[in-house]
């Protein structure tokens, strides 16, 4: 995100595979916004809405898989 310069503010969402999403959850880095009924249901990361999609590309790395994340 840092390489986007002043366009960073135009980002609204981030799409990621469920594996890194769950790691972010485990590390308490995902926060939730309340929906219209007051329930915490909308996940966010760094202020961006999170879209979890296991269709995001996974590449076999040397020691572990690497997951593409899209802004």
């Amino acid at each position: 995100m840092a390489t986007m310069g002043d366009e960073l503010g135009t980002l609204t969402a981030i799409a990621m595979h469920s594996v890194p999403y769950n790691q972010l959850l485990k590390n308490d880095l995902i926060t939730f916004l309340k929906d219209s009924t007051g329930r915490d249901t909308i996940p966010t990361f760094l202020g961006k809405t999170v879209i979890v999609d296991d269709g995001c590309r996974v590449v076999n790395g040397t020691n572990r898989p690497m997951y593409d994340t899209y802004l």
Side-chain angles (χ1 to χ4, degrees):
M1 289 184 350
T3 62
M4 296 189 68
D6 63 348
E7 291 297 315
L8 177 61
T10 63
L11 295 177
T12 60
I14 183 168
M16 63 182 68
H17 193 277
S18 63
V19 171
Y21 174 78
N22 285 315
Q23 187 63 44
L24 291 171
L25 273 175
K26 181 180 173 183
N27 293 331
D28 291 327
L29 296 173
I30 299 289
T31 57
F32 291 88
L33 298 176
K34 296 186 183 308
D35 66 9
S36 61
T37 64
R39 293 180 299 154
D40 291 335
T41 57
I42 305 166
T44 64
F45 177 66
L46 299 175
K48 311 300 181 216
T49 302
V50 176
I51 301 164
V52 179
D53 185 352
D54 285 344
C56 291
R57 188 172 80 131
V58 180
V59 178
N60 289 325
T62 305
N63 298 318
R64 59 190 161 88
M66 297 186 321
Y67 300 89
D68 284 354
T69 301
Y70 306 93
L71 302 170

